[in-house]
Amino acid sequence: MTATVEHSNGTAAPAAFGYVAGSAPADATAGERVITYSEAVREAMGQAMAADDRVVLLGEDVGVYGGAFGVSGDLHGRFGGERVRDTPISELGIVGAGVGMALSGLLPIVEIQFSDFTCQAMDQIVNQAAKIHFMLGGAAHVPLVLRAPGGSGTGAAGQHSQSLEAWFAHTPGLKVVMPSNAADAKGLLLSAIDDPDPVVVLEHKLLYKTSGPVPVEPVRVPIGKAAVPRRGTDLTMVATGVMVSRCLEAAARLEADGVSASVVDVRTLTPFDAETVLGAIDETGRALLVQEAPRHVGFMSEVAARIAESESLYRLLAPVKRLCGLDTPIPYAPQLERSVVPQVDDVVAAARALAVVG
Amino acid sequence: MTATVEHSNGTAAPAAFGYVAGSAPADATAGERVITYSEAVREAMGQAMAADDRVVLLGEDVGVYGGAFGVSGDLHGRFGGERVRDTPISELGIVGAGVGMALSGLLPIVEIQFSDFTCQAMDQIVNQAAKIHFMLGGAAHVPLVLRAPGGSGTGAAGQHSQSLEAWFAHTPGLKVVMPSNAADAKGLLLSAIDDPDPVVVLEHKLLYKTSGPVPVEPVRVPIGKAAVPRRGTDLTMVATGVMVSRCLEAAARLEADGVSASVVDVRTLTPFDAETVLGAIDETGRALLVQEAPRHVGFMSEVAARIAESESLYRLLAPVKRLCGLDTPIPYAPQLERSVVPQVDDVVAAARALAVVG
Amino acid sequence: MTELAEAPAASDAGAADPRWAREALLTMYRIRRFEEAVDDLFARGMMHGTMHLSIGQEASATGVCAALAEGDLIASTHRGHGHCIAKGADLLPMMAELLAKDSGYCRGRGGSMHIADVAKGNLGANGIVGGGIPIAVGSALAQKLRGTGAVVVCFFGDGATNEGAFHEAANLAAIWQLPVVLVCENNKYGMSFSTEKSMHVATVAERAAAYGFPGVRVDGNDVEAVFAAATEAVARARSGGGPTLLETMTYRWKGHSKSDKNLYRTREEIEQWRADDPIADFEAKILDAGSLSVEDLEAVRTQARDEVRDAVRRSMQAPDADPRAFLADPAAAVFAAPLGSHVAGAPAVEPHGLGTALDATEESK
Amino acid sequence: MTELAEAPAASDAGAADPRWAREALLTMYRIRRFEEAVDDLFARGMMHGTMHLSIGQEASATGVCAALAEGDLIASTHRGHGHCIAKGADLLPMMAELLAKDSGYCRGRGGSMHIADVAKGNLGANGIVGGGIPIAVGSALAQKLRGTGAVVVCFFGDGATNEGAFHEAANLAAIWQLPVVLVCENNKYGMSFSTEKSMHVATVAERAAAYGFPGVRVDGNDVEAVFAAATEAVARARSGGGPTLLETMTYRWKGHSKSDKNLYRTREEIEQWRADDPIADFEAKILDAGSLSVEDLEAVRTQARDEVRDAVRRSMQAPDADPRAFLADPAAAVFAAPLGSHVAGAPAVEPHGLGTALDATEESK
Ligand SMILES: Cc1ncc(C[n+]2csc(CCOP(=O)(O)OP(=O)(O)O)c2C)c(N)n1
Ligand SMILES: Cc1ncc(C[n+]2csc(CCOP(=O)(O)OP(=O)(O)O)c2C)c(N)n1
Ligand SMILES: [Mg+2]
Ligand SMILES: [Mg+2]
């Protein structure tokens, strides 16, 4: 599971909805080095905090402990407890506090230890943060960043392993990103901090320790742009989160068999970059949609729907194929846990089958 | 907006997952009379409570007040405050209490005043109720019924008008039903009370005052079966909740223009009756998918995905068309509120356009 | 940091001070007349949605907001017209909002339950019981970090104190010793469920014991008493002494909302509380103190009545919120427009000790 | 209604009573040896996931559960091995669960954070901080409505008392005067955040003041003191006197979980608490009282060690949870199998005063 460089060359092009970063971007190819995904997240936060006193981080154990997954690391040492603020175990309270801070001149980043605990804070995320700008007729906005790791693979079982992106993507007023590699982890987070609207950044536990080249400078990856880290001719894999690297690995293996696959990294679920995603599907006429979350009413349902209601439908050479997590909670036992979400072998098998249909 | 009888003849056929009601159903055609949707819900609760002391209702203002929408009505008078229990404003607490009651020999029905307030209780719904049976390896189960009205149209604005069914449908371990008429409101609720698993029953505020024929006897409508209240030849409308009656009205109007439409009432979102829904789409080759919820990653995305990945794809005469709520919160002003969710005119227009494509 | 206007000292204030008395009375009348007009418009089918009226509770909003300085903030509730008016909102855009006009505070998108007047320091009503409390606490944390000196008041009802949001937010306010005043307007019912049944303690105020800050109960129908207690709590907050839970005992004369059949309370109880009319009580005190004349009071009444009539008349004539404009670009309504700075929604208080934007810093690289 | 076994009277119990002392000591050793084995298996890479060990906290689980009668229930936490063992679970299916075996309590689907032994009255561990509290309260409401006479104990940590779930559930328990004991195991930290920082009151026990029921703090490392306090609270609950918040002061010797580098506490603090070893303390008391001999204590230790070794050995040999069987019908794992009655998950207590099922009634029509 290696992160790739091809799709990490984000530039601070205007994001959707007209929000433009205030300065020209640094050149993305200059000054890269290989760091981990979690270092990249930390670097983004550190650079933003150094540059702007309004940026603050709060969450459970983000201080001396350095974060449940070690992501905040030394930020507490660098910026102190006022700006890197440990909180009690009160997800609803701290997301709400983030909303209030965002309404009052700060740029808060709230870390939720596991994305599963957003359940505790759904009112503040959905009924407050997402809707305030709209309900107030534009009189206020909520520049809140919510960071939370999702996903399975660590044996943490049903309440600590969910992939909940579909809920957030279905909530008008939220922007939702899922960085799949270190460079995007940094660049998308910088864009999220920049963004005047609430942005949910869904990181992935298994990716934290993966590495990739990341620009030294605070280079934003625009919210609203998908990436195409690999182009092939026989089928197009569309993936989110940890599934992007699985698809890339599968694509590499398939190449040996003479099957040539494109891989699209959705990156931004809302706003969704239909142009890039459908364009890449049109090129091959076969779509394999891969997500970790359960299939039923998941994000890939939306991608399939976009195909079904567009001209892309006429370019399909085979029915769309979704490869998703089973419609079950995530079990504890490693052998069961692996069996309920797509693995590289599953992607290879599904791709092979799809490549010959029709 | 009139409820129809065609698809209300539920029988207590075995529901999905092998759960069979313990007795033969009463004959559904016998002993019907016209009552409102909210009377039908109340009747189901009353009959279940009369028949089984384990059935209890709890929620905010369900007692003397009779429920925020008057649904519980006289149940408090009939069954007393122990079994029709007013609670403080504590959604998380009362859903959790329902889970504990369900684990301890009772059959609780928890009413949430507006489905928007499930946000407060998501932990108990999603991390507890939905997963306990699975996480405990089957050692316990949670026969909890969660009733909550969703939908817009009453001027209650963004925090009181959401249609959140996609979240619940995407949560493994929950069964999700959306009765669209009075008979189903009774019959699906009876099945939900019968069901050994947690069932989320999403009622609709605008439907509460609509009427339709409802069996006097406690006739269950099986969970897991869609209904086809109208069969046509030119296109198939697939709808949920309040959109079913809008589609039926639209279909009646279209008939005058020579456009013949089927209408499918999904009724059960999980488990989803793909056979009936896709079967009805196959018959016409044109699918108009209609929901009140925002389009992006909504339930109709799943229906579209099912088409796109099945043989139904080859029978399509035109791309699938979704007609959904806008991807915005629900605004307050009546003219704005109407404009963000599909109205009968919108269905008619979309159907007309779809009928001539391809 | 902007200097905050001084709040009137408690000693000057009260029925005996003609200026203060007139202001407080006018505010209470504005609230009452505004809500009577709303009630009427609703009854005549000219208003949409549902309405939660605070008639009978005017002294609480008025006394609390009178204790605030310019730049201070409030977060309000579903029963928020009074808070909004007491915090200085204009009646015209308020009424326009309720009448679904484009000139309403929320351009017709929010309605009664979401009216905010951010410029005046009202962070907004809230349709979610308890929803505003964590937000107010977060705003207070921002005031503290930014060193603005501003105090945040959060209004909520007795019923809201049974929500987890109250608990979590109160605890955060306590541990961080934030400049916030938690004002619980105890009108004896959360919808239909009485405080006797919804909690097993006699007062909401004593719930402060769980957080280690003062809890104070006051006659919420006595505008002077509310003002005095709020002034003390605000002073504590402003001086770094941390939060206070202030419980104002009051009563709503009208039903909870439009669906209320008043089955859970007796006519006698309602009558008894109506006899304790905060406005009439205060008028009697004013006349006792001799600070204003009967004619002065009449003038206040007339002014409030005229302002409300004017707001109704003018908003009736205003253009409706326009779905076509809205539908042309719904995303523009959902997401914030491009902004030079993120600081919007904040009161007109300069950041203190806070640096420049990331972009500016980058440019200087 | 099933008659509940009498809990041992507090007067008989303690170090001086050989039977009680032996049982309590054995339970504490079982917990410690079990968790040491887990720690070891984990360190050797033979165990998956993460583990929250309660080593150092054994007296709390043991003393509380000793106060319970058969048919009473508990709800537990992420740090739940001790509760589970103290409530009578078998070590073999516990260990098998952690080793991802099909014979585990949860068939490998739950792991450490979801172990339940419903038959023994353990409603389950919970991966969600505070998640079990409303569930325990609901179970207590069911006991009351069904007239079972059973009491429900809910364990949670100090950190959990900052969650809204604690507040809402405590309030429900209070207003309905439920037979529930809320046991807060205060080990001074919620992960890394100390109670001094996470709350502005000195004790968790005083938070009971917000709900109007007793709050009691006890030395959680003294199994006799815990037992005595729990016995009183359980008796209150059983006799209709409502809930108690019981705060047991204790300490976890190990890190919060596997990711803990112990940066937030000092070596001295850890050493100081390790010196207050609940097991060694109790052994000293037993020897003081002369109820058991040194050889008796040695026999207890041996028994616990052997039981744990046996559980490890036998579960290592047991078949793994099988993905093929699982994948053959995942829905069968997610949803309940057809059941003649809904009553499962309930303790083996007969319904009291409750009627027949809807189906039966219908048949009789
Ligand atoms: C989270 C949530 N639950 C329930 C409701 C429905 N509701 C609106 S107001 C209200 C009563 C609130 O009582 P209280 O806090 O005492 O305020 P009051 O209405 O008395 O001013 C209820 C139950 C809601 N809006 N939000
Ligand atoms: C809702 C929720 N928030 C955060 C966590 C992560 N977490 C697991 S245990 C824990 C600390 C709990 O502290 P406490 O309640 O004192 O129990 P202890 O671990 O000390 O036994 C945290 C923050 C969680 N599991 N659930
Ligand atoms: Mg109230
Ligand atoms: Mg602790």
Side-chain angles (χ1 to χ4, degrees):
Chain A
M1 204 168 351
T2 48
T4 53
V5 63
E6 291 91 331
H7 57 122
S8 62
N9 295 335
T11 55
F17 309 111
Y19 185 71
V20 184
S23 66
D27 180 9
T29 56
E32 287 181 351
R33 81 255 100 110
V34 172
I35 58 175
T36 66
Y37 186 100
S38 86
E39 285 163 350
V41 173
R42 177 159 64 251
E43 186 167 280
M45 294 193 288
Q47 288 179 340
M49 293 181 76
D52 191 331
D53 282 357
R54 296 173 303 172
V55 180
V56 295
L57 170 66
L58 62 163
E60 294 156 20
D61 309 291
V62 298
V64 176
Y65 196 96
F69 289 94
V71 175
S72 48
D74 64 351
L75 292 179
H76 181 266
R78 288 174 57 201
F79 297 100
E82 293 282 291
R83 293 185 65 201
V84 178
R85 182 171 294 261
D86 273 324
T87 70
I89 311 174
S90 308
E91 291 80 9
L92 179 62
I94 64 182
V95 176
V99 174
M101 294 164 90
L103 284 172
S104 301
L106 297 182
L107 301 175
I109 304 168
V110 175
E111 175 179 303
I112 298 289
Q113 285 193 342
F114 288 74
S115 70
D116 314 70
F117 314 153
T118 57
C119 282
Q120 265 75 357
M122 284 302 268
D123 179 62
Q124 289 292 335
I125 301 170
V126 170
N127 288 332
Q128 314 292 344
K131 296 186 173 52
I132 284 176
H133 177 72
F134 179 90
M135 293 190 309
L136 268 53
H141 67 284
V142 183
L144 172 72
V145 176
L146 197 77
R147 291 183 36 242
S152 65
T154 68
Q159 294 172 333
H160 286 71
S161 306
Q162 291 165 90
S163 299
L164 300 174
E165 64 274 9
W167 292 356
F168 300 115
H170 184 54
T171 302
L174 298 178
K175 295 173 181 169
V176 184
V177 302
M178 287 179 80
S180 73
N181 61 68
D184 285 355
K186 177 172 177 182
L188 285 169
L189 180 53
L190 285 168
S191 290
I193 296 169
D194 263 4
D195 200 281
D197 294 306
V199 182
V200 179
V201 182
L202 293 164
E203 299 164 2
H204 197 289
K205 297 175 200 90
L206 292 184
L207 293 177
Y208 279 139
K209 290 182 182 165
T210 63
S211 307
V214 175
V216 176
E217 293 291 306
V219 179
R220 287 123 167 132
V221 171
I223 294 177
K225 286 299 294 171
V228 188
R230 180 186 179 107
R231 292 209 180 261
T233 52
D234 296 330
L235 83 158
T236 303
M237 301 174 180
V238 179
T240 49
V242 75
M243 291 300 149
V244 174
S245 45
R246 294 199 186 153
C247 285
L248 286 166
E249 202 180 320
R253 277 169 52 185
L254 286 159
E255 189 151 49
D257 300 4
V259 177
S260 162
S262 291
V263 178
V264 180
D265 180 354
V266 175
R267 279 206 298 207
T268 304
L269 282 65
T270 309
F272 175 61
D273 182 1
E275 199 184 319
T276 301
V277 176
L278 297 184
I281 292 169
D282 290 349
E283 285 170 17
T284 67
R286 295 175 202 265
L288 179 63
L289 314 180
V290 189
Q291 73 185 11
E292 180 171 6
R295 172 192 325 254
H296 195 50
V297 202
F299 183 76
M300 289 303 163
S301 315
E302 177 67 24
V303 178
R306 298 287 189 122
I307 299 169
E309 64 187 6
S310 70
E311 292 292 313
S312 297
L313 183 73
Y314 296 118
R315 304 213 174 83
L316 285 183
L317 303 171
V320 170
K321 168 90 190 138
R322 283 183 293 171
L323 181 65
C324 305
L326 292 187
D327 289 321
T328 74
I330 302 291
Y332 159 73
Q335 66 277 23
L336 299 184
E337 187 181 26
R338 268 192 307 274
S339 75
V340 301
V341 301
Q343 305 297 326
V344 175
D345 284 348
D346 303 318
V347 179
V348 169
R352 258 199 209 115
L354 181 63
V356 299
V357 183
Chain B
M1 202 170 349
T2 50
T4 53
V5 62
E6 292 91 332
H7 57 124
S8 62
N9 295 336
T11 56
F17 308 109
Y19 185 70
V20 183
S23 66
D27 180 8
T29 56
E32 286 181 350
R33 81 256 100 110
V34 172
I35 58 175
T36 66
Y37 185 100
S38 87
E39 284 162 351
V41 174
R42 178 158 64 250
E43 186 166 279
M45 294 194 288
Q47 288 179 341
M49 293 182 76
D52 191 331
D53 282 357
R54 295 172 303 172
V55 180
V56 296
L57 170 66
L58 61 164
E60 293 156 20
D61 309 291
V62 297
V64 176
Y65 196 97
F69 290 93
V71 175
S72 48
D74 64 351
L75 292 178
H76 181 266
R78 288 173 58 200
F79 296 99
E82 294 282 293
R83 294 185 64 202
V84 179
R85 182 171 294 262
D86 273 323
T87 70
I89 312 174
S90 309
E91 290 80 9
L92 180 62
I94 64 182
V95 175
V99 174
M101 294 165 89
L103 285 171
S104 301
L106 297 182
L107 302 174
I109 305 168
V110 175
E111 175 179 302
I112 298 290
Q113 285 193 343
F114 287 74
S115 71
D116 314 69
F117 313 153
T118 57
C119 282
Q120 266 74 357
M122 284 302 269
D123 179 63
Q124 289 292 335
I125 301 170
V126 170
N127 288 332
Q128 314 292 344
K131 297 186 172 53
I132 284 177
H133 177 73
F134 178 91
M135 293 190 308
L136 267 55
H141 67 284
V142 184
L144 171 72
V145 176
L146 198 77
R147 291 182 36 241
S152 65
T154 69
Q159 294 173 332
H160 286 71
S161 306
Q162 291 165 91
S163 299
L164 300 174
E165 64 273 9
W167 292 358
F168 301 115
H170 184 53
T171 303
L174 298 178
K175 294 172 182 170
V176 185
V177 302
M178 286 179 81
S180 73
N181 60 68
D184 285 355
K186 177 172 177 181
L188 286 169
L189 180 54
L190 285 168
S191 290
I193 296 169
D194 263 4
D195 200 280
D197 293 306
V199 182
V200 178
V201 182
L202 292 164
E203 299 165 1
H204 197 289
K205 296 175 200 89
L206 291 184
L207 292 177
Y208 278 140
K209 291 183 180 163
T210 63
S211 307
V214 176
V216 174
E217 293 291 304
V219 179
R220 283 115 165 145
V221 171
I223 294 177
K225 285 299 294 171
V228 187
R230 179 184 180 108
R231 291 208 181 262
T233 52
D234 296 330
L235 82 158
T236 302
M237 300 174 180
V238 179
T240 48
V242 75
M243 291 299 151
V244 174
S245 44
R246 293 199 187 153
C247 286
L248 286 166
E249 200 179 320
R253 276 168 52 184
L254 286 160
E255 189 151 50
D257 300 3
V259 178
S260 162
S262 290
V263 177
V264 181
D265 180 354
V266 175
R267 280 208 296 209
T268 303
L269 281 65
T270 309
F272 175 61
D273 182 0
E275 199 184 318
T276 301
V277 176
L278 298 185
I281 291 169
D282 290 349
E283 285 170 17
T284 67
R286 293 174 203 266
L288 179 63
L289 313 181
V290 189
Q291 74 185 11
E292 181 172 5
R295 173 192 325 253
H296 195 51
V297 201
F299 183 76
M300 289 304 163
S301 315
E302 177 67 24
V303 178
R306 298 289 188 121
I307 298 168
E309 65 187 6
S310 70
E311 293 293 312
S312 297
L313 183 72
Y314 297 117
R315 304 213 174 84
L316 285 183
L317 304 172
V320 170
K321 168 89 189 139
R322 283 183 295 171
L323 181 65
C324 305
L326 292 188
D327 289 322
T328 73
I330 302 291
Y332 160 72
Q335 66 277 21
L336 299 184
E337 187 181 26
R338 268 193 307 275
S339 76
V340 302
V341 302
Q343 305 297 325
V344 175
D345 284 348
D346 303 318
V347 179
V348 169
R352 258 198 209 117
L354 181 62
V356 299
V357 183
Chain C
M1 167 191 150
T2 305
E3 198 61 287
L4 290 161
E6 277 284 274
S11 51
D12 305 344
D17 172 358
R19 204 179 63 86
W20 195 95
R22 195 182 179 285
E23 255 330 294
L25 189 66
L26 181 59
T27 300
M28 293 203 284
Y29 266 119
R30 279 192 181 120
I31 298 171
R32 182 154 309 173
R33 295 291 174 257
F34 183 90
E35 293 205 314
E36 285 168 351
V38 166
D39 204 23
D40 179 57
L41 287 164
F42 205 93
R44 285 157 55 204
M46 302 175 72
M47 211 170 255
H48 184 55
T50 189
M51 294 293 144
H52 305 90
L53 303 179
S54 68
I55 293 178
Q57 304 189 176
E58 298 88 348
S60 176
T62 303
V64 169
C65 290
L68 296 179
E70 226 187 289
D72 287 344
L73 293 111
I74 67 167
S76 169
T77 70
H78 60 286
R79 203 174 301 288
H81 303 148
H83 311 140
C84 196
I85 293 171
K87 193 66 175 70
D90 287 344
L91 302 188
L92 180 57
M94 275 186 77
M95 192 58 85
E97 182 62 27
L98 301 190
L99 287 167
K101 302 296 179 174
D102 198 52
S103 54
Y105 268 119
C106 310
R107 307 195 57 201
R109 292 166 193 166
S112 169
M113 276 194 287
H114 304 294
I115 285 189
D117 180 359
V118 177
K120 289 265 171 52
N122 180 354
L123 291 169
N126 208 310
I128 299 296
V129 169
I133 315 178
I135 296 174
V137 165
S139 179
L141 177 55
Q143 308 311 323
K144 184 170 178 169
L145 285 176
R146 296 174 57 205
T148 63
V151 168
V152 184
V153 160
C154 185
F155 290 101
F156 50 88
D158 46 283
T161 70
N162 301 315
E163 283 280 3
F166 163 78
H167 176 70
E168 296 188 14
N171 189 52
L172 296 181
I175 61 170
W176 295 329
Q177 289 290 289
L178 298 181
V180 67
V181 183
L182 302 175
V183 178
C184 177
E185 301 191 301
N186 183 344
N187 59 9
K188 294 182 47 120
Y189 296 93
M191 203 153 159
S192 73
F193 205 49
S194 72
T195 49
E196 285 83 27
K197 290 180 184 157
S198 72
M199 52 189 212
H200 198 60
V201 284
T203 71
V204 169
E206 65 202 272
R207 293 196 151 173
Y211 314 106
F213 53 69
V216 179
R217 185 183 244 208
V218 68
D219 178 352
N221 283 358
D222 178 345
V223 69
E224 292 176 289
V226 172
F227 173 74
T231 300
E232 194 181 322
V234 169
R236 181 180 301 121
R238 204 180 313 276
S239 65
T244 305
L245 175 57
L246 179 61
E247 180 183 13
T248 63
M249 299 303 298
T250 184
Y251 199 79
R252 62 168 158 72
W253 293 7
K254 300 276 173 175
H256 164 74
S257 71
K258 292 293 143 191
S259 69
D260 192 341
K261 298 193 237 43
N262 274 321
L263 298 173
Y264 53 89
R265 55 183 191 173
T266 61
R267 183 131 296 280
E268 294 72 56
E269 182 182 286
I270 301 174
E271 284 314 319
Q272 185 187 322
W273 276 91
R274 286 183 78 120
D276 180 19
D277 178 353
I279 296 185
D281 290 357
F282 189 51
E283 286 189 335
K285 280 197 192 164
I286 293 172
L287 293 177
D288 257 14
S291 54
L292 299 178
S293 67
V294 172
E295 292 72 34
D296 291 337
L297 302 189
E298 192 49 43
V300 168
R301 281 183 214 123
T302 307
Q303 182 180 344
R305 188 201 58 199
D306 290 350
E307 284 179 17
V308 170
R309 275 195 191 158
D310 187 58
V312 173
R313 193 178 43 75
R314 287 171 59 197
S315 39
M316 291 283 214
Q317 290 157 2
D320 287 340
D322 183 355
R324 280 162 309 175
F326 179 85
L327 294 174
D329 188 3
V334 177
F335 292 111
L339 292 167
S341 152
H342 296 303
V343 185
V349 177
E350 287 293 301
H352 173 82
L354 291 169
T356 47
L358 180 63
D359 300 329
T361 309
E362 268 176 57
E363 267 163 43
S364 71
K365 270 182 195 157
Chain D
M1 166 191 152
T2 306
E3 198 61 288
L4 291 160
E6 278 285 273
S11 51
D12 305 344
D17 172 358
R19 203 179 63 86
W20 196 95
R22 196 183 178 287
E23 254 330 291
L25 189 66
L26 180 59
T27 300
M28 293 202 285
Y29 267 118
R30 279 191 182 122
I31 298 171
R32 181 153 310 172
R33 295 291 173 256
F34 183 89
E35 294 205 313
E36 285 168 351
V38 166
D39 204 23
D40 179 58
L41 287 163
F42 205 94
R44 285 156 57 203
M46 302 175 72
M47 211 171 255
H48 184 56
T50 189
M51 294 293 144
H52 304 91
L53 303 179
S54 68
I55 293 177
Q57 305 190 175
E58 298 89 347
S60 176
T62 303
V64 168
C65 291
L68 296 179
E70 227 186 290
D72 288 343
L73 294 111
I74 67 166
S76 169
T77 69
H78 59 287
R79 203 175 300 289
H81 303 148
H83 311 140
C84 197
I85 293 171
K87 192 66 175 69
D90 287 343
L91 302 186
L92 180 57
M94 275 185 76
M95 193 58 86
E97 182 61 28
L98 301 191
L99 287 166
K101 302 295 180 174
D102 198 52
S103 54
Y105 268 119
C106 309
R107 308 194 57 202
R109 292 166 194 166
S112 170
M113 277 194 286
H114 305 293
I115 285 187
D117 179 359
V118 177
K120 289 264 170 53
N122 180 354
L123 291 169
N126 209 310
I128 300 295
V129 169
I133 316 178
I135 296 174
V137 164
S139 179
L141 177 55
Q143 307 311 323
K144 185 171 178 169
L145 286 175
R146 296 173 58 204
T148 63
V151 169
V152 184
V153 160
C154 186
F155 290 100
F156 50 89
D158 47 283
T161 71
N162 301 315
E163 283 281 4
F166 163 78
H167 176 70
E168 297 188 13
N171 189 53
L172 296 181
I175 61 170
W176 294 329
Q177 289 290 290
L178 298 181
V180 67
V181 182
L182 302 174
V183 177
C184 177
E185 301 191 302
N186 183 345
N187 60 8
K188 294 182 46 113
Y189 296 93
M191 203 152 159
S192 72
F193 204 49
S194 72
T195 50
E196 284 82 26
K197 290 180 184 158
S198 73
M199 52 188 212
H200 198 61
V201 285
T203 71
V204 169
E206 65 202 272
R207 294 196 149 170
Y211 315 105
F213 52 69
V216 179
R217 186 183 243 208
V218 68
D219 178 351
N221 282 359
D222 177 344
V223 69
E224 292 176 289
V226 171
F227 173 73
T231 299
E232 194 182 321
V234 168
R236 182 179 302 123
R238 204 179 313 276
S239 65
T244 304
L245 175 57
L246 179 60
E247 179 183 14
T248 63
M249 298 303 297
T250 184
Y251 199 79
R252 61 168 159 71
W253 293 6
K254 300 277 173 174
H256 165 74
S257 71
K258 291 294 143 192
S259 70
D260 193 341
K261 298 193 235 47
N262 275 321
L263 298 174
Y264 53 89
R265 55 183 191 173
T266 60
R267 182 130 299 280
E268 294 72 57
E269 183 184 284
I270 300 174
E271 284 315 318
Q272 185 186 322
W273 277 92
R274 286 182 78 119
D276 179 20
D277 178 351
I279 296 185
D281 290 357
F282 189 51
E283 286 188 336
K285 280 199 190 161
I286 293 172
L287 293 176
D288 257 16
S291 53
L292 298 178
S293 67
V294 172
E295 292 72 34
D296 291 337
L297 301 189
E298 192 50 42
V300 168
R301 282 184 213 122
T302 308
Q303 181 180 343
R305 188 200 59 198
D306 290 350
E307 284 179 16
V308 170
R309 276 194 190 158
D310 187 58
V312 173
R313 193 179 42 77
R314 286 171 60 197
S315 38
M316 291 281 215
Q317 291 158 1
D320 287 339
D322 182 356
R324 279 162 312 177
F326 179 84
L327 293 174
D329 187 4
V334 177
F335 292 111
L339 293 167
S341 153
H342 297 301
V343 185
V349 177
E350 286 295 299
H352 173 82
L354 291 170
T356 48
L358 179 64
D359 300 329
T361 310
E362 267 176 58
E363 267 163 42
S364 71
K365 270 181 193 156

